[in-house]
Amino acid sequence: MNKYTVLFVSLLLTACGGGNDSPINIPAVKSTPTIVTIGDSETAGAVSTLTGFANIPEASYPTRLQGLLGSKAVVHNLGVNSKNLLEVLEEQLPKAISLKPNILIISTTLNDAGDNLDKSMLIVKYTEIKKLFPNTVVILLTPLKPHVSITNLQEYRDNLYKTESLGILVFDVEAKSNKDWYCGYEDFHPCEYGYREMARVVQEYLLVNNLI
């Protein structure tokens, strides 16, 4: 049976259109899948603390996702701080391709919003991704809401749903939890609790939709 690569793009926030709570009609990945996560600091593990933020890879959501999934999957984290979508695709995608993932999670969130990456560029770049992964289920996680103001964030988030026309699935991670993922800190990054919640919600999504 053919394997379906899942391209899982991590861009995190609350729902504003597109998507629903019903299971997705996608063939399941039957073998133990390889999950590769690429993206920015929310993938790398930049954690909000009382005094700012600290780089703690072991607290990242991919590391916690591996802990939740156990032997059901193998998770690789290629995330690097301060990268936007264009940089992620140029610098991290080649390594991701070499790992031949069944599931690829891309997190490019606040950096893209701040750079005002418009919807036409989003469509171009995700069209390229679909060509690279012709048998891939592509999933975007919408951006999280930090406790600080991000210019263009809502517009950027809305534009993510335009990629559904390419056959990409858009999943609102934060809508699945009513907790404060920032622990009250004034920062762009979730606290350790937030990354635990993020991993839990992602795991639930994969299981509900028979992707793991």
Side-chain angles (χ1 to χ4, degrees), residues 39-47 53 55 60 79-83 107 109 111 188-189 195:
D40 60 8
S41 52
E42 286 182 357
T43 299
V47 179
F53 81 92
N55 291 307
S60 68
V80 178
N81 289 354
S82 304
K83 300 298 180 181
S107 175
T109 61
N111 297 314
F188 295 101
H189 309 94
Y195 284 122

Side-chain angles (χ1 to χ4, degrees), residues 7-200:
L7 175 55
F8 207 96
V9 183
S10 183
L11 304 152
L12 296 150
L13 220 282
T14 43
C16 94
N20 53 59
D21 292 332
S22 302
I24 303 165
N25 185 22
I26 302 170
V29 177
K30 297 300 183 182
S31 61
T32 301
T34 295
I35 301 175
V36 174
T37 63
I38 66 177
D40 60 8
S41 52
E42 286 182 357
T43 299
V47 179
S48 288
T49 68
L50 186 61
T51 58
F53 81 92
N55 291 307
I56 311 176
E58 60 271 22
S60 68
Y61 91 86
T63 298
R64 296 187 181 281
L65 179 62
Q66 176 70 84
L68 291 172
L69 293 174
S71 62
K72 292 181 179 178
V74 176
V75 182
H76 299 273
N77 185 0
L78 306 183
V80 178
N81 289 354
S82 304
K83 300 298 180 181
N84 62 27
L85 175 63
L86 304 184
E87 293 168 329
V88 166
L89 297 184
E90 179 180 354
E91 300 171 17
Q92 299 172 38
L93 196 59
K95 175 64 174 178
I97 292 172
S98 73
L99 290 170
K100 299 180 180 179
N102 301 103
I103 299 175
L104 178 62
I105 305 179
I106 304 177
S107 175
T108 56
T109 61
L110 305 180
N111 297 314
D112 280 341
D115 292 344
N116 198 23
L117 189 65
D118 63 28
K119 64 183 178 182
S120 62
M121 181 60 72
L122 284 173
I123 294 297
V124 167
K125 290 304 175 182
Y126 287 118
T127 298
E128 292 175 2
I129 290 171
K130 288 294 287 184
K131 290 179 179 178
L132 289 170
F133 296 90
N135 297 318
T136 294
V137 178
V138 179
I139 305 173
L140 301 184
L141 302 184
T142 59
L144 292 171
K145 279 182 182 173
H147 287 171
V148 291
S149 177
I150 304 296
T151 303
N152 303 316
L153 181 57
Q154 186 62 49
E155 178 184 0
Y156 176 71
R157 182 188 175 284
D158 293 346
N159 286 337
L160 292 179
Y161 284 97
K162 307 298 183 183
T163 64
E164 290 181 324
S165 65
L166 303 174
I168 292 173
L169 305 174
V170 180
F171 174 48
D172 188 338
V173 180
E174 202 172 24
K176 298 300 181 180
S177 173
N178 61 1
K179 306 297 184 180
D180 177 11
W181 290 14
Y182 292 83
C183 300
Y185 301 140
E186 295 294 323
D187 199 79
F188 295 101
H189 309 94
C191 58
E192 289 199 50
Y193 171 79
Y195 284 122
R196 288 198 297 271
E197 274 292 279
M198 185 175 172
R200 180 190 65 79

